[in-house]
Amino acid sequence: MSLEASAGVDIPLYRPTHLADAIALLQEHEDARPLGGGQTLVSMLSLGYAQPSAIVALGNLPELRGISRSDDGSVRIGAMTTHAELAACRSFAGGQALLTSAASQIADPAIRNFGTIGGACAHGDSVADWPPALVAADARMLVHGPDGAREIKACDFFVNLLTTALKPAELLIAIVIPAIEGHGRYRKLARVEGDFATVSVAATAASAGGACTSVAIAIGACGPRPVRLAQAEALLIGRPFNEGLAIEVGQLLADAIDPISDVRGSAAYRKRVLPRLVAQSIQELLA
Ligand SMILES: Cc1cc2nc3c(=O)[nH]c(=O)nc-3n(C[C@H](O)[C@H](O)[C@H](O)COP(=O)(O)OP(=O)(O)OC[C@H]3O[C@@H](n4cnc5c(N)ncnc54)[C@H](O)[C@@H]3O)c2cc1C
């Protein structure tokens, strides 16, 4: 079987049912591309931005499917899980709710029904919603390639603009979300509903006796990769929470980001709105 790309070029399409065969195909065909939900790759093919020597569809690989919860509270998400499945998922507890919150704000229902968490992460777009959400959740990315399996922390997976830690012929197989206490929420500022983020804040937090006991905050769309700042999170731990403190934390993060100016907003605008957005997120989680 083959796919017709731009300019009438036929590209061989493979549908392996075993992980080892998929990896072998990716090794065999230089410049072969895995196919997830196709929401990004098919547009790139149509526009001529990608001209792979072969396409390896991942839909028949059981290792990449399903969502399962373990006894320790961690949740394993197969890379072929769609955004819509994650938005409707009931396996998350406590701060893991960040995941459903992020999934439900990606694009529009049509794209959520086909686009996968694996494809979105492998693409590594700096304005996408999964990178900050997974960095804030301390997710672990399970990868398989010619040299076997390896695990990469989400904070090390997203390396740069459209660049991840995946090596040639490696596939993202699954993502593991550890148990997270407290609450989680994804806050996205976009020009219109369904657009990519202008600025986003992924956060989880827990409190006891009026003071914050744990917190994680990752900023999206404000640089080539998500930004997380230990110093900003440490400022909240063990202290009685108030709005002034929340703004202070937001300002620290605004000072740490290095956004660009683009059609979605200027760098100055992004830096200006971030402190208030962070404060709203923390207030909502710790209230
Ligand atoms: C109009 C539009 C609006 C969008 N809005 C948003 C938005 O608001 N927020 C957001 O986050 N995203 C948005 N997206 C992107 C969307 O989330 C896509 O689902 C995502 O970018 C790609 O997922 P996919 O499964 O379709 O991957 P594909 O298009 O199939 O693949 C994308 C890339 O990843 C590679 N790949 C796929 N799966 C794997 C894997 N398991 N291992 C290794 N490599 C793999 C492919 O070879 C390709 O290079 C939007 C897309 C469109 C078209």
Side-chain angles (χ1 to χ4, degrees), residues 82-88 97-113 127-130 132-133 184-203 277 281 284:
T82 64
H83 310 316
E85 286 170 314
L86 285 158
L98 166 64
L99 282 291
T100 36
S101 174
S104 62
Q105 295 177 60
I106 294 175
D108 52 44
I111 286 166
R112 289 200 290 274
N113 279 335
V127 291
D129 297 303
W130 284 124
R185 177 80 200 269
Y186 186 72
R187 196 172 270 267
K188 175 174 176 175
L189 182 68
R191 293 175 302 177
V192 291
E193 203 179 313
D195 193 10
F196 281 96
T198 304
V199 179
S200 67
V201 178
L277 209 60
S281 295
E284 186 182 35

Side-chain angles (χ1 to χ4, degrees), residues 33-34 36-41 83 107 111 115-116 122 128-129 172 188 196:
R33 286 280 192 115
Q39 296 305 290
T40 297
L41 186 57
H83 310 316
I111 286 166
T116 66
D129 297 303
L172 178 58
K188 175 174 176 175
F196 281 96

